[in-house]
Amino acid sequence: MTIVDPFGTLKQALWICGGQWAGKSTVSRLLARRHGITVYHYDFHDARAHQDRRIAHRVRENLPTADPDPETVWVDPAPERMAADTIAGFPVRFEWALDDLRALVSGRPILAEGWGLRPELVAPLLDSPRRMIVMVPTDDFREHQLRVLPRAAAVAHRVSDPERAQRNRIERDRLVAGDAVRSAKELGIRVLEIDGSRDAEAVADVVAEHFGPYLA
């Protein structure tokens, strides 16, 4: 596969992937403040800046241009189908993230973080597995995050059965995270399990040690 990298940004990038609610964004911001690096937050761009590309993709695929009805996304399907659909959609969305990253130029590494930066998609860009780490929450820590983070407390759409939608979402996230772990282990990429026994600063210490000389 030919990788287009006009400014060498992808070659020097660092990557944090993993499950929802593992603290990826928090740890990335801590590393940015400590080491003067630039952070690319995948979730922010994917939910906002990529909407025009999402619509264009639907047009090319002869799909409806409007966002799917929340009922058909969160309430109707089984979590296994939701997870499979999410994973199947990551490659197209990854290309949009790469376009964003290609346009960045920095004298320091750029750290890209987000659940859609999948190990199997990032691996061809890596000259060493130490350029990536996968953070995943334990089931107990995921439940803790769901209790204490307002944005995690419910699906952000009006649906007929909010409790079912939230259960579906939680199980989907667990399945997607598990798939990322399996992929990372097959590729020799480190998995860091987050169980709440260390605070964010301590987790950032572990991640910084993993990236080692790339942050120097």
Side-chain angles (χ1 to χ4, degrees):
M1 180 180 67
T2 301
I3 298 171
V4 179
D5 189 15
F7 305 118
T9 307
L10 303 181
K11 183 178 180 180
Q12 71 167 356
L14 304 172
W15 308 82
I16 298 179
C17 168
Q20 299 285 68
W21 323 118
K24 301 180 300 298
S25 297
T26 300
V27 166
S28 298
R29 289 193 292 271
L30 288 170
L31 294 179
R33 288 197 289 269
R34 291 183 187 181
H35 299 279
I37 61 175
T38 297
V39 174
Y40 173 86
H41 290 298
Y42 168 92
D43 286 352
F44 184 92
H45 288 273
D46 188 60
R48 297 166 180 82
H50 294 168
Q51 184 64 5
D52 288 347
R53 302 184 204 184
R54 188 171 289 109
I55 292 171
H57 174 72
R58 291 170 182 163
V59 170
R60 287 194 298 270
E61 298 296 319
N62 294 315
L63 299 171
T65 57
D67 288 339
D69 176 26
E71 290 286 314
T72 66
V73 174
W74 300 108
V75 178
D76 296 341
E80 293 78 10
R81 170 49 53 192
M82 295 169 67
D85 289 346
T86 298
I87 293 168
F90 279 141
V92 170
R93 295 155 67 181
F94 182 66
E95 286 300 320
W96 302 338
L98 291 187
D99 279 344
D100 296 337
L101 290 166
R102 288 184 182 105
L104 299 176
V105 178
S106 174
R108 302 284 295 142
I110 291 170
L111 172 58
E113 68 83 19
W115 78 322
L117 307 175
R118 306 285 291 178
E120 67 274 12
L121 299 175
V122 174
L125 305 174
L126 302 177
D127 58 13
S128 167
R130 285 195 66 176
R131 286 191 177 272
M132 186 174 200
I133 193 167
V134 174
M135 294 173 55
V136 291
T138 63
D139 289 342
D140 286 345
F141 188 68
R142 181 184 289 109
E143 290 298 325
H144 166 78
Q145 295 288 69
L146 293 169
R147 289 194 302 270
V148 302
L149 295 178
R151 61 191 173 88
V155 170
H157 299 278
R158 298 188 66 177
V159 293
S160 62
D161 191 340
E163 291 184 1
R164 178 176 177 178
Q166 178 70 339
R167 289 196 304 271
N168 286 345
R169 174 202 195 190
I170 294 168
E171 180 62 11
R172 179 207 64 168
D173 290 353
R174 188 186 68 81
L175 293 170
V176 171
D179 188 78
V181 169
R182 286 189 293 272
S183 178
K185 289 182 176 179
E186 289 173 0
L187 293 164
I189 293 169
R190 182 177 179 182
V191 175
L192 179 61
E193 192 172 74
I194 307 299
D195 62 6
S197 61
R198 291 175 288 207
D199 64 15
E201 293 280 358
V203 174
D205 290 341
V206 174
V207 176
E209 184 278 331
H210 171 78
F211 287 140
Y214 301 120
L215 292 175

